[in-house]
Amino acid sequence: MQRVLNPAHLVINSTQSYHVAMQAFFDGMVGNPNTGLVASVEIVSWANNFQFQESTDLATVMEREDVPIISQMRKLNFVANAEHFLNINAIVEAKFDFLGKLMKCQQEAAAIPLEFQDNHLFNYARYVVVEGEAMGTGETIESQDFRVMMPQRLKMLLEGRGQTQTGHHQYQHGRMLDSANVYMRHYYSPCITRLTEEDLSLELGTVFTMHWLDFK
């Protein structure tokens, strides 16, 4: 039987990658006349894979003060820590992804020609827009803003200028960047450093011997 599935398509860590995997399974069934139908799919943690356990020293006996740390406990610690790493990594990616989208929107709003500044911007993609509908006027986003606004208001909301802050803090993208940096400096980096410390003479041993909830 010819192998047609790309292993990279079978790693699921988001809703999008789940759909990619399902499509890969479907293509594997119908894309090649030499392949059969997938009757069932078993989804298990990667820590249950024997080859993976061998490569990560899960089978190695580890002791603390002559008390062995059973392999099942090390496996549970590793899975929990790995999932936590994926979660906090996704938070960092989401923060910087949103910041990038915000700055791109600011650039596009600033590029609107002057002759169109008095025009209305309608969100036809998601809402039914009524001509002549009242527009938002406050300093924060209002319900009408999701349907219609003018370019100047769009730029003002994207800019998010605060009246009490100074420097880059007075702008929305500056405050978001600071928030991301604070998360990176005070939680993400210390957590990753702690997770990857050596323990019991084993490189990266902490990821097996400790649960991230036990970190101080």
Side-chain angles (χ1 to χ4, degrees), residues 77-166:
N77 285 338
F78 179 77
V79 171
N81 293 333
E83 292 292 345
H84 183 60
F85 169 76
L86 290 175
N87 288 334
I88 63 176
N89 194 62
I91 291 174
V92 172
E93 290 181 356
K95 284 179 177 292
F96 284 101
D97 181 62
F98 189 84
L99 180 61
K101 291 179 179 178
L102 172 64
M103 299 185 71
K104 182 179 180 180
C105 287
Q106 288 179 311
Q107 294 173 354
E108 293 184 1
I112 298 176
L114 291 176
E115 58 266 28
F116 297 134
Q117 292 299 312
D118 293 331
N119 291 8
H120 292 173
L121 303 174
F122 295 102
N123 186 0
Y124 289 112
R126 297 182 59 185
Y127 297 95
V128 176
V129 180
V130 179
E131 296 289 344
E133 180 178 4
M135 291 183 289
T137 57
E139 295 182 356
T140 58
I141 296 177
E142 301 176 13
S143 59
Q144 302 96 311
D145 294 321
F146 293 99
R147 296 186 293 274
V148 57
M149 70 174 69
M150 297 182 70
Q152 286 297 333
R153 179 166 177 76
L154 174 62
K155 288 190 285 187
M156 184 271 290
L157 292 174
L158 290 172
E159 190 176 80
R161 179 175 296 187
Q163 300 299 322
T164 59
Q165 294 95 341
T166 59

Side-chain angles (χ1 to χ4, degrees), residues 150-194:
M150 297 182 70
Q152 286 297 333
R153 179 166 177 76
L154 174 62
K155 288 190 285 187
M156 184 271 290
L157 292 174
L158 290 172
E159 190 176 80
R161 179 175 296 187
Q163 300 299 322
T164 59
Q165 294 95 341
T166 59
H168 71 277
H169 295 94
Q170 64 182 311
Y171 300 105
Q172 177 70 11
H173 67 267
R175 296 192 294 272
M176 291 183 62
L177 182 59
D178 277 355
S179 173
N181 287 332
V182 166
Y183 183 81
M184 289 280 292
R185 184 167 59 253
H186 295 290
Y187 187 79
Y188 180 84
S189 294
C191 186
I192 296 302
T193 300
R194 187 72 176 87

